[in-house]
Structures are given as structure tokens and as C-alpha cells.
Amino acid sequence: MRYYILFGPPGAGKGTHAAALREKYNLCHLSTGELLRAEIAAGTELGIEAKKLIDKGCLVPDSVVEGMIESKFNSVTDVDGFLLDGFPRTLGQAEDLDNILAKRGESVTAVLSLMISDDLVKRRILHRAAIEGRADDASEETINNRIRTYHNQTEPLIDYYKNQAKYHEVDAGADTTEENRSRVINLFESVKK
Ligand code: ADP
């Protein structure tokens, strides 16, 4: 089984491009953000607790997202690989992911990093707020907090995966979605194994 990580700041286009990669390469797309939003929509205890943190632009506890990911690894089998979107997001999650995979005799295949500037993060998220209506996209304060959280807690993963020689970056800040998609697919082709 292959395990690909789609990495990048909020609004980099991880979800958008994951949809194209999933179809083309028979992958299971696992977005921890989407899994959490499903819990919120279902009104579960976990969802209620997660919403409080998500609406402030904070991360939910590592154990919560790790539990979700591990249960998907155990239940989804009819694919060629997993495409992780929005996970891992902290060094602790990255280390735990390595341990979860090691127990299965597996490891992360490659990290595809979609890079855009902080300015573009803000513009993309505000634009998305008008289309998708996500509460955590609508407030400038929450967006700024997500950008801070990204720099403080998620960016250190770049060095973590560079040290494992698994980190591959693409500029995902082109003007059109089509151009960005073709850049991401080219990158995937070059790292897929
Ligand atoms: P985006 O990439 O636009 O930030 P996501 O859908 O990936 O959106 O995540 C939305 C929110 O869900 C995050 O801001 C965070 O609060 C929570 N979340 C998602 N993935 C994780 C994770 N791996 N660890 C902790 N919190 C997460």
C-alpha cells in the first residue's frame, strides 16, 4: 500500500487536487478536516468538542485525528494507496503516523507540498467562504489564527520529511485551478513509485 501526504497551508488547494488524484490513481482520499466536519454535522460528542476548536482556528487533539486515520487504514482495502489531506499537522502526529505505519510494516511513500503565500491563503479562504459557507473560513481573526497555527505547528514537518528525503514541493499559486492541477499531477507522476 502507498501512503501519500498532501501538505500545505490552509487554502493551498489540497482538497481540490486530492479529488483529481483520487480518481486518476485509485486512492482513498482521507481529509481529517472533512472527517471532523462530518462528526460536527452528525452532532456527535466528538464533533461538538471539535467545533469549538475549529471555529477558533485551533487544532483538535492529536489523538482524535490519529484515531480517525487509523480506523480508515484498517477498514479501507480496495485501493492502491491513501492520500492524506490535512494530516499530519504536528510533529507529534507525524511521529505517531510513522509508528502506526511501522506496525503495519509500511511507511510514508512521499510528501507532496502545495506552497502558496500567506496573502494568497487569505484571498483563497475568503473566496471559499462565499462558496462553501464554512464557519472557520468566514472570520478574518480565525483565518489569521490558522495561518499562525500552520507556521508554528505544521511548518516544522517540512524539515522532518526533508530529513527522510520524502519532501517534494510545488508552487500551487498559479492563477488557474487547471494550471495548479497539472503542476500537482506532474509532481505526483514524478514521486509516485
Ligand atoms: P484547511 O486545510 O483549509 O485548514 P481542513 O479541512 O484541513 O482545512 O481543516 C479544518 C480544521 O480542522 C483545522 O483548522 C483544524 O481545526 C481541524 N483539523 C483538520 N485536520 C487536523 C489535524 N490533522 N490535526 C488537528 N486538527 C485538524
Side-chain angles (χ1 to χ4, degrees):
M1 192 70 86
R2 305 270 187 256
Y3 297 86
Y4 302 99
I5 296 171
L6 264 189
F7 183 85
K14 299 186 294 292
T16 305
H17 302 309
L21 294 172
R22 177 188 61 202
E23 295 294 315
K24 200 167 156 66
Y25 300 104
N26 186 34
L27 304 172
C28 171
H29 171 208
L30 287 184
S31 157
T32 38
E34 270 176 27
L35 292 170
L36 289 166
R37 283 188 288 280
E39 295 284 338
I40 294 171
T44 64
E45 188 87 9
L46 190 159
I48 291 165
E49 289 308 310
K51 183 171 166 45
K52 293 180 197 159
L53 294 163
I54 292 173
D55 285 355
K56 285 191 287 193
C58 299
L59 298 180
V60 306
D62 290 350
S63 57
V64 170
V65 282
E66 287 166 10
M68 293 175 147
I69 290 285
E70 197 167 9
S71 93
K72 290 288 180 184
F73 286 167
N74 288 331
S75 60
V76 178
T77 51
D78 54 345
V79 293
D80 295 325
F82 287 92
L83 187 57
L84 304 179
D85 159 6
F87 177 88
R89 245 175 163 102
T90 64
L91 271 179
Q93 289 177 20
E95 287 163 359
D96 291 341
L97 173 63
D98 281 349
N99 291 331
I100 290 168
L101 292 179
K103 276 193 289 177
R104 312 168 73 85
E106 307 268 15
S107 61
V108 169
T109 309
V111 178
L112 291 86
S113 175
L114 280 51
M115 262 318 131
I116 62 171
S117 67
D118 287 357
D119 265 4
L120 193 50
V121 169
K122 279 195 204 170
R123 275 187 278 140
R124 289 238 185 111
I125 292 184
L126 287 169
H127 176 71
R128 185 170 72 185
I131 299 167
E132 294 181 12
R134 271 173 56 179
D136 62 336
D137 282 348
S139 125
E140 188 128 11
E141 196 188 326
T142 300
I143 297 171
N144 285 335
N145 206 22
R146 284 160 68 194
I147 292 174
R148 261 197 305 277
T149 303
Y150 169 76
H151 287 303
N152 293 339
Q153 301 200 53
T154 309
E155 218 164 39
L157 297 190
I158 295 177
D159 280 340
Y160 182 82
Y161 288 114
K162 274 185 181 167
N163 288 337
Q164 297 186 8
K166 290 182 175 170
Y167 182 82
H168 309 274
E169 189 173 296
V170 70
D171 173 0
D175 287 341
T176 65
T177 307
E178 291 69 28
E179 171 59 23
N180 288 314
R181 182 183 302 122
S182 88
R183 291 180 186 183
V184 173
I185 288 178
N186 285 341
L187 180 67
F188 191 85
E189 280 291 333
S190 71
V191 305
K192 72 176 163 31
K193 293 193 177 163

